[in-house]
């Protein structure tokens, strides 16, 4: 269950972080009314979110490699 939650949040952060990075750097002008377009700080926030998402995905993958606990 924890693995699934980490994967869902990880994928969401990677997608949102990528969008924020592209919008903030001015490479993506969608949607036109977005306040993030061309704003450098949003590119930085996007990179942080993207990195956090990759860490969550790495943790989810790592948790599946652990042997089950002994009882």
């Amino acid at each position: 269950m924890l693995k699934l939650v980490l994967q869902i949040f990880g994928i969401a952060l990677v997608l949102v972080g990528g969008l924020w990075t592209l919008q903030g750097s001015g490479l993506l002008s969608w949607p036109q009314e977005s306040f993030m377009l061309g704003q450098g700080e949003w590119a930085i926030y996007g990179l942080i979110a993207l990195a956090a998402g990759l860490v969550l995905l790495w943790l989810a993958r790592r948790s599946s490699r652990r042997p089950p606990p002994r009882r």
Side-chain angles (χ1 to χ4, degrees):
M1 183 67 168
L2 176 62
K3 178 182 174 182
L4 179 64
V5 171
L6 288 174
Q7 287 175 331
I8 290 170
F9 281 107
I11 290 170
L13 279 172
V14 166
L15 293 174
V16 168
L19 178 64
W20 289 354
T21 301
L22 292 173
Q23 285 181 334
S25 62
L27 296 173
L28 181 67
S29 296
W30 175 85
Q32 288 292 326
E33 60 274 355
S34 177
F35 61 91
M36 292 188 249
L37 299 177
Q39 302 296 318
E41 65 268 12
W42 282 101
I44 294 169
Y45 300 152
L47 289 173
I48 293 168
L50 196 142
L54 290 175
V55 168
L56 290 180
L57 290 173
W58 176 76
L59 287 173
R61 183 177 171 110
R62 185 173 174 221
S63 71
S64 66
R65 292 185 179 179
R66 289 185 181 166
R70 294 183 182 182
R71 294 181 187 209

